[in-house]
Amino acid sequence: MRVIFLGAPGVGKGTQAQRLAAQEKIPQISTGDILREAVKRGTPLGLKAKGFMDAGKLVPDDVVIGLVDEKLKQPEVAAGYVLDGFPRTVAQAEALDRLLQDRGITHVINLDVPRDEIVRRLSGRRSCPKCQRVYHMDSAPPAREGRCDNCGESLQQRVDDKPETIESRLAVYDRQTRPLIEYYDKKGLLHNLDATGSIERVYANVLAAVHSQRHV
Ligand code: AP5
């Protein structure tokens, strides 16, 4: 199974990708998580990416494509993987097609949520900086307030979840990422899912989509 999660910021790509990857025992490749880790460590990649991320803009294509290329060469992706947050531009999608050749993507899951719900989800999001698990203060709170259930680390709010940056990320999505819906629809890989229900309900629909139609 080689799956892409598409959708605007905050629709729940990371939440669903994490579950699917854990259940299928395949890696979740989140370009956002990889970039945030690089920023935290102050690596050359992180220094390059930080300004773009803080402003809610996309990191340049060549940087992100290089990063995914490296991940897809690792032996642990042989049995499949879940891409979360990549591709995000038509240039990235075309580069991915070239990288994968005959071992192409099997399913593209596009999650759809109205704007006011996206803003609610992003404003209440808290994440674990250590294991990247995602919570929401109302809809997915941790058992112990402010602490990750998985590793006990203190939860944090992302820098780019400020209201003005959320607006800029949504505008970038409309301009640069939304065209990918048509790109993958034309390839016959797209599954459009209403992602407004509970996390469990959306996940049930994700499972139905990835098992309904196995492209090999
Ligand atoms: P990235 O980390 O990919 O951010 P994003 O796409 O903006 O998506 P988010 O992580 O904000 O949201 P999500 O859809 O994963 O939602 P989540 O599951 O967390 O990218 C960050 C930045 O990195 C970019 O702006 C860019 O600068 C750079 N970048 C990354 N990839 C790049 C690329 N390919 N090219 C160039 N630049 C790149 O859920 C959100 C909240 O909602 C959580 O609190 C969750 O608990 C809650 N929630 C989830 N599902 C539900 C539900 N069903 N009901 C109620 N609450 C829910």
Side-chain angles (χ1 to χ4, degrees):
M1 179 184 296
R2 296 177 293 278
V3 180
I4 291 173
F5 275 92
L6 272 188
V11 291
K13 301 182 296 297
T15 302
Q16 299 298 332
Q18 218 164 53
R19 286 194 173 206
L20 183 63
Q23 179 166 335
E24 295 287 330
K25 298 188 175 50
I26 53 177
Q28 172 196 6
I29 302 174
S30 160
T31 43
D33 285 348
I34 297 168
L35 291 167
R36 274 185 291 281
E37 182 63 22
V39 169
K40 198 168 87 184
R41 288 175 188 271
T43 64
L45 169 67
L47 294 174
K48 213 170 194 176
K50 187 176 186 322
F52 295 102
M53 295 176 77
D54 287 354
K57 294 186 178 150
L58 294 185
V59 173
D61 284 337
D62 59 330
V63 175
V64 189
I65 291 166
L67 190 157
V68 171
D69 183 19
E70 216 169 275
K71 283 276 166 197
L72 293 177
K73 285 180 180 143
Q74 307 295 318
E76 57 267 27
V77 305
Y81 48 83
V82 180
L83 282 170
D84 158 23
F86 181 93
R88 265 176 137 97
T89 62
V90 171
Q92 291 181 17
E94 289 170 349
L96 183 65
D97 288 344
R98 286 194 296 274
L99 291 176
L100 298 178
Q101 294 174 1
D102 54 339
R103 302 260 307 155
I105 293 300
T106 55
H107 305 83
V108 177
I109 311 287
N110 180 47
L111 301 177
D112 192 29
V113 170
R115 287 287 151 118
D116 54 347
E117 173 64 6
I118 286 181
V119 173
R120 191 197 73 80
R121 289 185 184 183
L122 289 178
S123 322
R125 172 165 58 189
R126 298 293 180 273
S127 327
C128 175
K130 195 167 167 199
C131 73
Q132 272 78 46
R133 190 155 162 186
V134 179
Y135 300 84
H136 189 277
M137 290 193 315
D138 306 320
S139 40
R144 197 153 52 105
E145 204 184 322
R147 294 272 165 194
C148 178
D149 294 345
N150 199 30
C151 66
E153 189 75 15
S154 216
L155 299 180
Q156 289 179 358
Q157 183 165 30
R158 271 172 43 178
V159 183
D160 59 351
D161 280 348
K162 289 183 294 210
E164 60 278 18
T165 319
I166 292 175
E167 282 310 313
S168 140
R169 288 162 64 202
L170 289 171
V172 166
Y173 166 78
D174 283 337
R175 211 169 45 244
Q176 293 181 267
T177 309
R178 194 184 279 282
L180 292 183
I181 297 175
E182 196 187 338
Y183 183 90
Y184 286 113
D185 196 19
K186 279 188 181 155
K187 287 180 181 284
L189 296 174
L190 192 74
H191 298 259
N192 273 314
L193 298 190
D194 171 4
T196 49
S198 69
I199 292 173
E200 288 67 30
R201 206 173 125 205
V202 176
Y203 187 58
N205 291 334
V206 167
L207 283 183
V210 294
H211 292 298
S212 66
Q213 190 187 358
R214 290 259 189 196
H215 309 259
V216 209

